Structure formats: C-alpha cells, structure tokens
Amino acid sequence: MIKEVMRLLNYDFCAEIALVLFLIAFALVGIKVALTSKAEIKHQSEIPLSDD
C-alpha cells in the first residue's frame, strides 16, 4: 500500500519551488545590499579590526 502511494506521488514541482525560493532569497539579499549605506558598510568592515 505505501509503495503504491509513493509511486503515485509526483515530485516534479519540487525543483521549480526550490528555484523560485532561491531566486527570491537572492533578490532579497541584493536589495539589502543595495539599500545599505556606505557608512554602515564601512562600520561593519572595521569590526574585525577593533579592539573590543
């Protein structure tokens, strides 16, 4: 019975959903980077060098 149910399931849409989720995440990261100010980027780049 379980074998028959598993055989009837169609997973073709999973790859398409994964691609859409990846593109959404990529776009959100791109938007975040584009909206970050240069002062914030400079501040974040100096964090590893600070003595704190």
Side-chain angles (χ1 to χ4, degrees), residues 9-31:
L9 291 176
N10 188 1
Y11 294 109
D12 292 341
F13 61 91
C14 289
E16 295 170 4
I17 291 174
L19 178 63
V20 169
L21 290 175
F22 170 77
L23 292 175
I24 290 171
F26 191 82
L28 290 174
V29 170
I31 291 169

Side-chain angles (χ1 to χ4, degrees), residues 38-49:
K38 291 188 186 249
E40 180 67 23
I41 292 172
K42 178 136 177 78
H43 171 70
Q44 291 177 359
S45 69
E46 292 171 352
I47 291 174
L49 303 176

